[in-house]
mmCIF file of all heavy atoms in Angstrom:
data_model
loop_
_atom_site.group_PDB
_atom_site.id
_atom_site.type_symbol
_atom_site.label_atom_id
_atom_site.label_comp_id
_atom_site.label_asym_id
_atom_site.label_seq_id
_atom_site.Cartn_x
_atom_site.Cartn_y
_atom_site.Cartn_z
ATOM 1 N N CYS Y 219 0.590 10.453 2.169
ATOM 2 C CA CYS Y 219 1.063 9.069 1.968
ATOM 3 C C CYS Y 219 0.889 8.263 3.252
ATOM 4 O O CYS Y 219 1.225 8.732 4.339
ATOM 5 C CB CYS Y 219 2.542 9.092 1.563
ATOM 6 S SG CYS Y 219 3.286 7.454 1.515
ATOM 7 N N ILE Y 220 0.333 7.059 3.108
ATOM 8 C CA ILE Y 220 0.092 6.205 4.282
ATOM 9 C C ILE Y 220 1.046 5.003 4.310
ATOM 10 O O ILE Y 220 0.813 4.041 5.052
ATOM 11 C CB ILE Y 220 -1.373 5.727 4.328
ATOM 12 C CG1 ILE Y 220 -1.793 5.098 2.991
ATOM 13 C CG2 ILE Y 220 -2.300 6.868 4.704
ATOM 14 C CD1 ILE Y 220 -3.199 4.515 2.977
ATOM 15 N N ALA Y 221 2.089 5.062 3.489
ATOM 16 C CA ALA Y 221 3.089 3.984 3.469
ATOM 17 C C ALA Y 221 2.440 2.613 3.317
ATOM 18 O O ALA Y 221 2.781 1.674 4.030
ATOM 19 C CB ALA Y 221 3.958 4.030 4.732
ATOM 20 N N CYS Y 222 1.529 2.527 2.361
ATOM 21 C CA CYS Y 222 0.834 1.242 2.149
ATOM 22 C C CYS Y 222 1.684 0.278 1.327
ATOM 23 O O CYS Y 222 1.490 -0.935 1.386
ATOM 24 C CB CYS Y 222 -0.501 1.476 1.458
ATOM 25 S SG CYS Y 222 -0.359 2.203 -0.191
ATOM 26 N N GLY Y 223 2.598 0.817 0.514
ATOM 27 C CA GLY Y 223 3.445 -0.043 -0.306
ATOM 28 C C GLY Y 223 2.847 -0.404 -1.655
ATOM 29 O O GLY Y 223 3.463 -1.145 -2.423
ATOM 30 N N VAL Y 224 1.661 0.135 -1.968
ATOM 31 C CA VAL Y 224 1.040 -0.174 -3.263
ATOM 32 C C VAL Y 224 1.946 0.265 -4.417
ATOM 33 O O VAL Y 224 2.130 -0.464 -5.397
ATOM 34 C CB VAL Y 224 -0.355 0.492 -3.357
ATOM 35 C CG1 VAL Y 224 -0.830 0.590 -4.804
ATOM 36 C CG2 VAL Y 224 -1.374 -0.290 -2.526
ATOM 37 N N CYS Y 225 2.540 1.463 -4.275
ATOM 38 C CA CYS Y 225 3.423 1.943 -5.353
ATOM 39 C C CYS Y 225 4.658 1.056 -5.478
ATOM 40 O O CYS Y 225 5.155 0.817 -6.579
ATOM 41 C CB CYS Y 225 3.810 3.395 -5.118
ATOM 42 S SG CYS Y 225 4.549 3.718 -3.506
ATOM 43 N N ALA Y 242 7.943 4.741 -2.441
ATOM 44 C CA ALA Y 242 7.386 5.265 -1.183
ATOM 45 C C ALA Y 242 8.447 6.055 -0.417
ATOM 46 O O ALA Y 242 8.166 7.117 0.145
ATOM 47 C CB ALA Y 242 6.843 4.130 -0.320
ATOM 48 N N CYS Y 285 -2.246 4.455 -6.434
ATOM 49 C CA CYS Y 285 -2.033 5.086 -5.117
ATOM 50 C C CYS Y 285 -3.380 5.448 -4.493
ATOM 51 O O CYS Y 285 -4.152 6.228 -5.056
ATOM 52 C CB CYS Y 285 -1.168 6.340 -5.251
ATOM 53 S SG CYS Y 285 -1.064 7.251 -3.684
ATOM 54 N N PRO Y 286 -3.697 4.893 -3.323
ATOM 55 C CA PRO Y 286 -5.011 5.149 -2.720
ATOM 56 C C PRO Y 286 -5.179 6.572 -2.211
ATOM 57 O O PRO Y 286 -6.289 6.989 -1.904
ATOM 58 C CB PRO Y 286 -5.067 4.143 -1.563
ATOM 59 C CG PRO Y 286 -3.645 3.870 -1.226
ATOM 60 C CD PRO Y 286 -2.882 3.985 -2.513
ATOM 61 N N ARG Y 287 -4.080 7.335 -2.119
ATOM 62 C CA ARG Y 287 -4.159 8.711 -1.649
ATOM 63 C C ARG Y 287 -4.094 9.712 -2.795
ATOM 64 O O ARG Y 287 -3.919 10.913 -2.576
ATOM 65 C CB ARG Y 287 -3.032 8.993 -0.641
ATOM 66 C CG ARG Y 287 -2.946 7.999 0.492
ATOM 67 C CD ARG Y 287 -4.232 7.925 1.290
ATOM 68 N NE ARG Y 287 -4.445 9.144 2.036
ATOM 69 C CZ ARG Y 287 -5.548 9.447 2.714
ATOM 70 N NH1 ARG Y 287 -6.557 8.592 2.707
ATOM 71 N NH2 ARG Y 287 -5.646 10.565 3.368
ATOM 72 N N ILE Y 289 -1.833 10.290 -5.006
ATOM 73 C CA ILE Y 289 -0.536 10.925 -5.297
ATOM 74 C C ILE Y 289 -0.057 10.443 -6.667
ATOM 75 O O ILE Y 289 -0.048 9.233 -6.933
ATOM 76 C CB ILE Y 289 0.507 10.559 -4.210
ATOM 77 C CG1 ILE Y 289 0.028 11.041 -2.838
ATOM 78 C CG2 ILE Y 289 1.870 11.148 -4.540
ATOM 79 C CD1 ILE Y 289 0.856 10.531 -1.666
ATOM 80 N N VAL Y 291 2.619 9.494 -8.083
ATOM 81 C CA VAL Y 291 3.945 9.136 -7.570
ATOM 82 C C VAL Y 291 5.028 9.321 -8.633
ATOM 83 O O VAL Y 291 6.079 9.922 -8.372
ATOM 84 C CB VAL Y 291 3.941 7.680 -7.038
ATOM 85 C CG1 VAL Y 291 5.285 7.329 -6.422
ATOM 86 C CG2 VAL Y 291 2.815 7.480 -6.033
HETATM 87 S S1 SF4 A 1 2.728 7.042 -2.356
HETATM 88 FE FE1 SF4 A 1 0.595 6.245 -2.408
HETATM 89 S S2 SF4 A 1 0.850 4.077 -3.022
HETATM 90 FE FE2 SF4 A 1 2.869 4.788 -2.349
HETATM 91 S S3 SF4 A 1 3.017 4.197 -0.183
HETATM 92 FE FE3 SF4 A 1 2.247 6.333 -0.265
HETATM 93 S S4 SF4 A 1 0.005 6.133 -0.239
HETATM 94 FE FE4 SF4 A 1 0.807 4.099 -0.746
#
Side-chain angles (χ1 to χ4, degrees):
C219 172
I220 51 176
C222 62
V224 161
C225 54
C285 173
R287 308 302 291 172
I289 300 170
V291 184

